[in-house]
Amino acid sequence: GDGRMGMIYDGNDVQFASRARVLFTLTGESDAGLSFGAKFRVDQENYKADPYRSAARGSAGQIWISGTYGKLSMGDVVSASEAAIGDLYEVGYTDGAVAFDSEEISYLTADGNNLGQGPAVLYEYGINGFTFYASATDGSDRSWGSVTFGDNTEDEDALSNKVAYSLAAKYEVDNYNVGLGFGKHGDAKEIVLGAEGKFDQFSVKGVYAHYKDRSAVDAFAAITGKNPITNAAGANVTGDYNFKSTIGLSGAYQADALLVKAFWRQDKFTTDVVGLSNEKYNSYGIGADYDLGGGATLAGGIIDTDYLQDTVADLGIKFKF
Amino acid sequence: GDGRMGMIYDGNDVQFASRARVLFTLTGESDAGLSFGAKFRVDQENYKADPYRSAARGSAGQIWISGTYGKLSMGDVVSASEAAIGDLYEVGYTDGAVAFDSEEISYLTADGNNLGQGPAVLYEYGINGFTFYASATDGSDRSWGSVTFGDNTEDEDALSNKVAYSLAAKYEVDNYNVGLGFGKHGDAKEIVLGAEGKFDQFSVKGVYAHYKDRSAVDAFAAITGKNPITNAAGANVTGDYNFKSTIGLSGAYQADALLVKAFWRQDKFTTDVVGLSNEKYNSYGIGADYDLGGGATLAGGIIDTDYLQDTVADLGIKFKF
Amino acid sequence: GDGRMGMIYDGNDVQFASRARVLFTLTGESDAGLSFGAKFRVDQENYKADPYRSAARGSAGQIWISGTYGKLSMGDVVSASEAAIGDLYEVGYTDGAVAFDSEEISYLTADGNNLGQGPAVLYEYGINGFTFYASATDGSDRSWGSVTFGDNTEDEDALSNKVAYSLAAKYEVDNYNVGLGFGKHGDAKEIVLGAEGKFDQFSVKGVYAHYKDRSAVDAFAAITGKNPITNAAGANVTGDYNFKSTIGLSGAYQADALLVKAFWRQDKFTTDVVGLSNEKYNSYGIGADYDLGGGATLAGGIIDTDYLQDTVADLGIKFKF
């Protein structure tokens, strides 16, 4: 399990913020040497409260089988793009959650999207430093008994009835890796490129994501209303924009128990609506972790993002049990 | 715990369907040698979401004490009839859930009924190959503090205020067993007879259940609207029918790691309403399990039931951890 | 984990009442010897059903860090007053829950209050038989991302935006202890004094709590409507009263495996409203525990409280796993 305790500054108030979570890890091996397992946290089992956050319904956690021919996972898996590239470095004892996870790249498929189609699959296969990834939903939002859950839109042409898939590859050599991912859901597409390198005590990671026909609303989904795109009259016009691209850069420096991390990220939004101009949203974060040993880490971070009206910060202790 | 991953065919679409669950098993022994314990899955604890699916409220899972004088269980226990006889053989990697569990006999008491009275009790006592069972609810649907939960119908004559009880016996010798059960709730009654035998690689099990004054709605409870009883005009008239009887038969054949299973089941519905005729609903299922060892089983099944408009199927892997 | 099974008498009906719960205990130690940990039950994780009963949101369970300088806990902690003094002795196999926990002193802060401010903190430090306690909320009811949850009252002067704090001390010597606590939330205050002593097989504990500017509604919060304060016309006028004080006394007698316990408690309510007179609510309870060993205890209790219309009782078995 894991946990954390500390204080956050939400831009107006200093607040206490803590949590404790238990992770279940189940594993086994078949007679022929296939390994299999499942993984979910106790807070990911909300059977009656939310069919989209329940390991017993396949909408949270993962279950997998793995052998010579690769690893196949099902459930709330990440997309191929995300598996190959991932996010920027997290800062603070809340791992960026105090700023609504500004360090997280907004992948087009999986990653909280497409839940209305029930479980998704992710396949991974590694050879000679390359890892190949493929992920997909099943293209059906139909609920069926106690077996699978969905949005049940009547419209067969709805996005929730279209397969969302992603293909990606990653190449690792020594302390360097580079990843390339492609994703598609209906007309919307993504191409994501990422690279990371470690030089002595320094690490650096960069990500560039380019989107086509993707609504800007996606980028604000988790933080709607905090700092939306507005027109001259102050009205929320986020829906008139396309989410065009994200560029992100993060770096870290390790000195014994101390780890200093920073990230910058810029999201571009374009519009064809007369009277509105294209927009750039920037997010900056910096933080430091101090490893206390035994699974405890003292950590603090400051994040300034255009998605929020105020700069936020946190300071506390993270635990791994 | 357990888990599964695979694909179902719901009659229209092929869908991914997976799950992962953790089972908690708690046990102890008193100084005088009484053993006791409790058992529930993490998805059976929905404290705030559903008072009828919460082990901490006694409405899911069981707790028991056991000694020379038998075993007494409390919570979401099965009825005496179900404990003595059980269901037909399950097919497929979803254990029949893809067809809304057509292989499950619909017992009158417990088995999802009477939840509005809070926890029920089941007593079991075995001697010389015989096992005797008795189960009952408490006949009160009154919620009380954090201690017990109920429907709180004002009407003292409501079914939810009537004791639902069941008595049953089972006799086992070598590879054969036969069970007889009786159940009663208000005016409704059940008599259930079951027998099972194992001959070398073959197993066969049959169940006959006869009901009195039981609404046909019970048989459709989990799948309302899929294929209800309709009149000439196409309207749902299930409520005009009585659930009269179920006859079921299942067989299995084991050949090394391969286990082939099949079941047939027929439910009869009778009516006194002029213009409506009695109805029979048939369900057929066939499937195969292939034991991969270590707790993993490759399994698939096909089920055709009159309760659903289309034949359904599943194929995947089941895990025991 | 723990569990219980048995029967309650709710004043009208005898009902079955059981439960099973699993407790997660996570612990670790830093390189410098700080110990840390977290604790919550599976029923205290209701992520999607209730943000105020979720360990992963910091609103249930606790997480702590402890060293030479004391212990700091965060989450759903008890107040300093409650930590120093606690409640009267519990009777019956439901530990008093059959009578809505009449043996529990109603502390002003924490103890189910102030949940709308998110996690609270408790600090404890012990030296030479003295233990000092301090607890506080953060004075902000603002929800923030996935990090902290609150009532989000717009009114900055609301009680949910005022720090609720408590200070207390306890002195223990041999088998005696005495505690003194102070609490404050907005205008409301509490002073609580408690003492406990053990003499051979006898134990006795007394608590006196005095409140200022505290609504009588607090005392009825968990049992509203059962037996409220009424005027001559029979209308509920609890809101016209102040909760003035509680005096409570409990005793226990241990004879081998048998433990007999009893408590009495009186709550005083005062009013300035013309035509209403001050009220006293008495609660009496008596019960016996018989230790069966191995974690099983046979227990029964009878409680008569003015908060309920009828005397209630329970009889069953409690388990510790």
Side-chain angles (χ1 to χ4, degrees):
Chain A
D2 63 16
R4 64 191 186 200
M5 60 191 292
M7 282 178 297
I8 61 152
Y9 174 67
D10 64 20
N12 285 280
D13 298 299
V14 173
Q15 297 201 45
F16 301 135
S18 67
R19 76 174 178 196
R21 310 190 302 184
V22 163
L23 176 68
F24 301 119
T25 310
L26 307 166
T27 54
E29 189 177 296
S30 80
D31 292 348
L34 288 169
S35 65
F36 53 86
K39 194 166 69 170
F40 66 99
R41 296 191 314 266
V42 61
D43 61 288
Q44 290 176 326
E45 182 49 73
N46 291 260
Y47 196 86
K48 278 303 188 75
D50 185 357
Y52 303 118
R53 192 184 171 99
S54 166
R57 294 175 183 267
S59 58
Q62 300 99 37
I63 185 161
W64 71 83
I65 187 158
S66 179
T68 322
Y69 298 107
K71 181 181 180 183
L72 184 70
S73 307
M74 198 176 277
D76 179 28
V77 295
V78 295
S79 71
S81 291
E82 185 167 6
I85 298 163
D87 299 312
L88 301 175
Y89 299 159
E90 299 168 328
V91 304
Y93 92 98
T94 67
D95 296 328
V98 71
F100 295 76
D101 294 310
S102 305
E103 83 289 351
E104 289 195 7
I105 303 301
S106 176
Y107 289 96
L108 178 67
T109 69
D111 202 14
N113 302 305
N114 327 122
L115 286 175
Q117 295 188 31
V121 292
L122 172 66
Y123 174 73
E124 300 162 75
Y125 180 72
I127 185 167
N128 295 338
F130 282 96
T131 313
F132 300 97
Y133 304 87
S135 67
T137 61
D138 58 28
S140 167
D141 65 3
R142 198 182 195 201
S143 279
W144 193 253
S146 63
V147 168
T148 185
F149 295 83
D151 283 343
N152 281 318
T153 341
E154 289 299 311
D155 180 6
E156 282 295 311
D157 293 327
L159 260 180
S160 57
N161 277 303
K162 298 212 162 134
V163 171
Y165 70 91
S166 173
L167 298 168
K170 182 184 192 175
Y171 180 69
E172 276 187 286
V173 53
D174 300 329
N175 291 319
Y176 302 85
N177 71 68
V178 57
L180 178 66
F182 170 75
K184 190 168 190 317
H185 186 206
D187 291 332
K189 288 178 197 165
E190 77 178 357
I191 291 178
V192 189
L193 181 67
E196 184 173 19
K198 292 182 183 161
F199 324 87
D200 300 327
Q201 293 160 289
F202 287 94
S203 307
V204 64
K205 180 174 182 177
V207 179
Y208 177 70
H210 189 81
Y211 309 108
K212 193 172 158 294
D213 288 335
R214 186 179 192 194
S215 169
V217 172
D218 272 19
F220 292 82
I223 46 172
T224 300
K226 297 292 177 189
N227 234 359
I229 306 179
T230 51
N231 63 13
N236 183 343
V237 292
T238 310
D240 291 333
Y241 280 81
N242 269 337
F243 187 2
K244 207 60 201 169
S245 67
T246 293
I247 187 162
L249 205 61
S250 56
Y253 175 77
Q254 179 93 47
D256 297 324
L258 182 72
L259 176 67
V260 178
K261 294 181 287 186
F263 73 87
W264 162 73
R265 171 237 189 100
Q266 186 183 74
D267 300 327
K268 284 193 191 164
F269 304 104
T270 58
T271 185
D272 297 329
V273 176
V274 176
L276 296 179
S277 52
N278 295 348
E279 292 283 343
K280 289 178 190 172
Y281 271 58
N282 284 285
S283 303
Y284 305 87
I286 186 162
D289 286 11
Y290 189 85
D291 187 351
L292 300 171
T297 304
L298 182 68
I302 299 175
I303 299 173
D304 182 9
T305 169
D306 290 339
Y307 288 98
L308 299 174
Q309 281 157 21
D310 305 288
T311 299
V312 295
D314 70 25
L315 180 62
I317 306 180
K318 304 192 282 187
F319 305 101
K320 285 275 170 205
F321 299 103
Chain B
D2 62 19
R4 64 190 186 200
M5 60 191 291
M7 282 179 297
I8 61 153
Y9 174 66
D10 64 19
N12 286 279
D13 297 300
V14 173
Q15 296 201 46
F16 301 134
S18 67
R19 75 173 178 196
R21 309 191 300 184
V22 164
L23 176 68
F24 302 119
T25 309
L26 308 165
T27 54
E29 189 177 294
S30 80
D31 292 348
L34 289 168
S35 66
F36 53 86
K39 196 166 67 171
F40 66 99
R41 295 192 313 267
V42 61
D43 61 288
Q44 291 176 324
E45 182 51 73
N46 291 260
Y47 196 86
K48 277 304 188 73
D50 186 356
Y52 303 118
R53 191 183 172 102
S54 166
R57 293 175 183 268
S59 58
Q62 298 99 38
I63 186 162
W64 71 84
I65 187 159
S66 178
T68 322
Y69 298 107
K71 180 180 180 183
L72 184 71
S73 306
M74 198 175 278
D76 179 27
V77 294
V78 296
S79 71
S81 291
E82 185 168 7
I85 297 165
D87 299 313
L88 300 175
Y89 299 160
E90 298 168 328
V91 304
Y93 93 97
T94 66
D95 296 328
V98 71
F100 295 76
D101 293 311
S102 306
E103 83 290 350
E104 289 195 5
I105 303 301
S106 176
Y107 289 95
L108 178 66
T109 68
D111 202 15
N113 302 305
N114 326 122
L115 286 175
Q117 295 188 30
V121 292
L122 171 67
Y123 174 74
E124 300 161 75
Y125 179 73
I127 185 168
N128 296 335
F130 283 95
T131 314
F132 300 98
Y133 304 87
S135 67
T137 60
D138 59 28
S140 166
D141 66 2
R142 196 182 196 201
S143 278
W144 192 253
S146 62
V147 168
T148 186
F149 295 84
D151 283 343
N152 281 317
T153 343
E154 287 300 310
D155 180 6
E156 281 295 311
D157 293 328
L159 261 180
S160 58
N161 277 304
K162 298 213 161 132
V163 172
Y165 70 92
S166 173
L167 299 168
K170 181 184 194 175
Y171 180 68
E172 277 187 287
V173 53
D174 301 330
N175 291 319
Y176 303 84
N177 71 67
V178 57
L180 178 66
F182 170 77
K184 190 170 190 315
H185 186 206
D187 290 333
K189 288 179 197 167
E190 78 178 357
I191 292 179
V192 189
L193 181 67
E196 185 173 21
K198 292 182 184 162
F199 325 87
D200 300 327
Q201 293 161 291
F202 287 95
S203 307
V204 63
K205 180 174 181 176
V207 178
Y208 177 69
H210 189 81
Y211 308 109
K212 196 173 157 292
D213 288 335
R214 185 178 192 196
S215 168
V217 171
D218 273 18
F220 292 82
I223 46 173
T224 299
K226 298 291 177 188
N227 235 358
I229 307 179
T230 51
N231 62 14
N236 182 342
V237 292
T238 310
D240 291 334
Y241 281 80
N242 268 337
F243 188 0
K244 207 61 201 168
S245 68
T246 293
I247 186 161
L249 205 62
S250 56
Y253 176 78
Q254 179 95 46
D256 297 324
L258 182 71
L259 176 68
V260 178
K261 294 181 286 186
F263 74 87
W264 162 72
R265 171 238 189 98
Q266 187 181 75
D267 300 327
K268 284 194 191 162
F269 303 104
T270 59
T271 183
D272 296 329
V273 175
V274 178
L276 296 179
S277 53
N278 294 349
E279 293 281 345
K280 289 178 190 172
Y281 271 58
N282 284 284
S283 302
Y284 305 87
I286 186 162
D289 285 11
Y290 189 86
D291 187 352
L292 300 171
T297 303
L298 182 67
I302 300 176
I303 298 173
D304 182 8
T305 169
D306 290 340
Y307 287 98
L308 298 175
Q309 283 157 19
D310 304 289
T311 299
V312 296
D314 69 25
L315 180 63
I317 306 181
K318 304 191 283 186
F319 305 101
K320 285 277 169 203
F321 298 104
Chain C
D2 63 18
R4 63 191 186 201
M5 60 190 292
M7 283 178 296
I8 62 152
Y9 175 68
D10 64 21
N12 285 280
D13 298 299
V14 172
Q15 296 201 46
F16 301 134
S18 67
R19 76 173 178 197
R21 309 192 299 186
V22 164
L23 176 68
F24 301 118
T25 309
L26 307 165
T27 54
E29 189 176 296
S30 79
D31 292 347
L34 288 169
S35 65
F36 53 86
K39 195 165 69 170
F40 66 99
R41 296 191 315 266
V42 61
D43 62 287
Q44 289 176 325
E45 183 49 72
N46 292 261
Y47 196 85
K48 277 303 188 74
D50 185 358
Y52 302 119
R53 191 184 172 98
S54 166
R57 293 175 183 268
S59 57
Q62 299 98 38
I63 185 162
W64 72 84
I65 187 160
S66 178
T68 321
Y69 298 107
K71 181 181 180 184
L72 183 72
S73 307
M74 198 176 278
D76 179 28
V77 295
V78 296
S79 71
S81 291
E82 185 167 8
I85 297 164
D87 299 313
L88 300 175
Y89 300 159
E90 298 169 328
V91 304
Y93 92 97
T94 67
D95 296 328
V98 71
F100 295 75
D101 293 311
S102 306
E103 83 288 350
E104 289 194 5
I105 302 303
S106 177
Y107 289 96
L108 178 66
T109 68
D111 202 15
N113 302 306
N114 327 121
L115 287 174
Q117 295 188 31
V121 293
L122 172 66
Y123 173 73
E124 300 161 76
Y125 180 72
I127 186 167
N128 296 336
F130 282 96
T131 313
F132 299 97
Y133 304 88
S135 67
T137 61
D138 58 28
S140 166
D141 65 2
R142 197 183 196 202
S143 279
W144 192 253
S146 63
V147 168
T148 186
F149 296 84
D151 283 343
N152 280 319
T153 341
E154 288 299 311
D155 180 5
E156 281 295 312
D157 292 328
L159 259 180
S160 57
N161 277 303
K162 298 212 162 133
V163 172
Y165 70 91
S166 172
L167 299 167
K170 182 184 191 174
Y171 181 69
E172 277 187 287
V173 55
D174 301 330
N175 291 318
Y176 303 85
N177 71 67
V178 57
L180 179 66
F182 170 76
K184 190 166 188 321
H185 186 206
D187 290 333
K189 290 179 196 167
E190 76 178 358
I191 291 178
V192 190
L193 180 68
E196 185 173 19
K198 293 182 182 160
F199 325 88
D200 300 327
Q201 295 160 289
F202 289 94
S203 306
V204 64
K205 179 173 181 176
V207 178
Y208 177 70
H210 189 82
Y211 307 109
K212 194 170 158 293
D213 288 334
R214 186 178 191 195
S215 169
V217 172
D218 273 16
F220 292 82
I223 46 172
T224 300
K226 298 292 178 189
N227 235 358
I229 306 178
T230 51
N231 63 13
N236 182 342
V237 292
T238 310
D240 292 332
Y241 280 81
N242 269 337
F243 187 0
K244 206 62 202 170
S245 67
T246 294
I247 186 162
L249 205 62
S250 57
Y253 175 77
Q254 179 95 46
D256 298 323
L258 182 72
L259 176 68
V260 179
K261 295 181 286 186
F263 73 86
W264 161 73
R265 171 237 190 99
Q266 187 182 75
D267 299 327
K268 284 194 191 163
F269 304 104
T270 58
T271 185
D272 297 329
V273 176
V274 177
L276 296 178
S277 53
N278 295 349
E279 292 282 343
K280 290 177 189 174
Y281 271 58
N282 284 285
S283 304
Y284 305 87
I286 186 161
D289 286 11
Y290 189 85
D291 188 352
L292 300 170
T297 304
L298 182 67
I302 299 175
I303 299 173
D304 182 9
T305 168
D306 290 341
Y307 288 98
L308 299 174
Q309 282 155 20
D310 305 288
T311 300
V312 295
D314 70 25
L315 180 62
I317 307 182
K318 304 191 282 187
F319 304 101
K320 285 275 171 205
F321 299 104

